[in-house]
Amino acid sequence: MSKEEKYKKESKFLSLVLRHHPEAIGISLDTHGWAEVNVLIKNMKRKFPVFSLKILEEIVATDSKQRYAFSEDNTKIRANQGHSLAVTLELQPQTPPECLYHGTASRFVESILKSGLQKQTRQHVHLSMDIATATKVGARHGKPVIFKVNTIAMHKAGYVFYLSANGVWLTDEVPPKFLNLIVNN
Ligand code: HQG
């Protein structure tokens, strides 16, 4: 079993705490999404008695999507993206690649073609660098379908893009005119 598999429950819960519900273990995040490592470990132990700094470090190091990061002095930890809480990650606007992809479920297509990609419960719309990744993201919701996003046109029109510390492209919305449904059959 890989280390990521070994601590799957702990990691899922960490993601819930650091992105959505810090109150679930009675901690708080600062405005930039950081939690105090010491407090986090102390409170994680209530749910997972053997939890430790070593386990937390392993989760951060082995996470396949690099979801978490320690602060430079290692006293704080936060999720790199995916928040529903209003945190400011201080990301710098970046020029996006020529195109990006968004994977979703087929049942959302009609609504997306009408109102574009909206961030729903998260802080940003998430975009993928390649079709394979977008397909995985879409499959989390149902039968996957892929939209190609015309990032060049969006960039020219003044839409802002950010790249998270773990390589996910983020933006506020994608209006329908910048979306093309990729039809694969
Ligand atoms: C859809 C995972 C109807 C949107 C992944 C998506 C990602 C609309 C769903 C990250 C819509 C929101 C984020 C509209 C958007 N009408 N549906 N107008 N606009 N939607 O989970 O992008 O494993 O909040 O297509 O790798 O699926 O958590 O976003 O299907 O990077 O680290 O509304 O989560 O990372 O779903 O996934 P989500 P997402 P982690």
Side-chain angles (χ1 to χ4, degrees), residues 17-90:
V17 165
L18 295 179
R19 288 169 166 180
H20 313 295
H21 294 293
E23 76 284 357
I25 53 163
I27 66 162
S28 54
L29 309 183
D30 71 13
T31 53
H32 303 306
W34 296 107
E36 295 287 341
V37 169
N38 289 342
V39 182
L40 175 78
I41 292 170
K42 192 169 119 238
N43 291 21
M44 282 289 275
K45 276 177 186 284
R46 291 190 199 145
K47 195 174 164 70
F48 304 101
V50 298
F51 202 80
S52 64
L53 176 60
K54 189 159 175 283
I55 293 178
L56 185 64
E57 285 172 346
E58 278 192 17
I59 290 173
V60 174
T62 59
D63 186 86
S64 59
K65 292 187 182 174
Q66 292 291 294
R67 292 179 176 92
Y68 320 105
F70 285 110
S71 58
E72 266 174 39
D73 64 2
N74 288 319
T75 62
K76 295 175 189 170
I77 183 170
R78 74 177 176 188
N80 284 324
Q81 37 69 232
H83 301 81
S84 57
L85 290 167
V87 297
T88 52
L89 296 174
E90 307 147 289

Side-chain angles (χ1 to χ4, degrees), residues 15 19-20 63 65 67 81-82 102-105 107-122 124-128 133 136-138 140-141 147 166 168 170:
S15 157
R19 288 169 166 180
H20 313 295
D63 186 86
K65 292 187 182 174
R67 292 179 176 92
Q81 37 69 232
H102 180 86
T104 189
R107 69 182 184 284
F108 299 145
V109 167
E110 203 183 319
S111 166
I112 290 170
L113 287 173
K114 203 183 290 169
S115 49
L117 290 172
Q118 301 296 332
K119 49 194 164 189
Q120 314 292 3
T121 61
R122 299 196 199 241
H124 295 100
V125 168
H126 289 220
L127 302 172
S128 308
T133 308
K136 278 190 209 154
V137 175
R140 289 158 54 251
H141 300 285
F147 282 101
N166 59 336
V168 178
L170 308 168

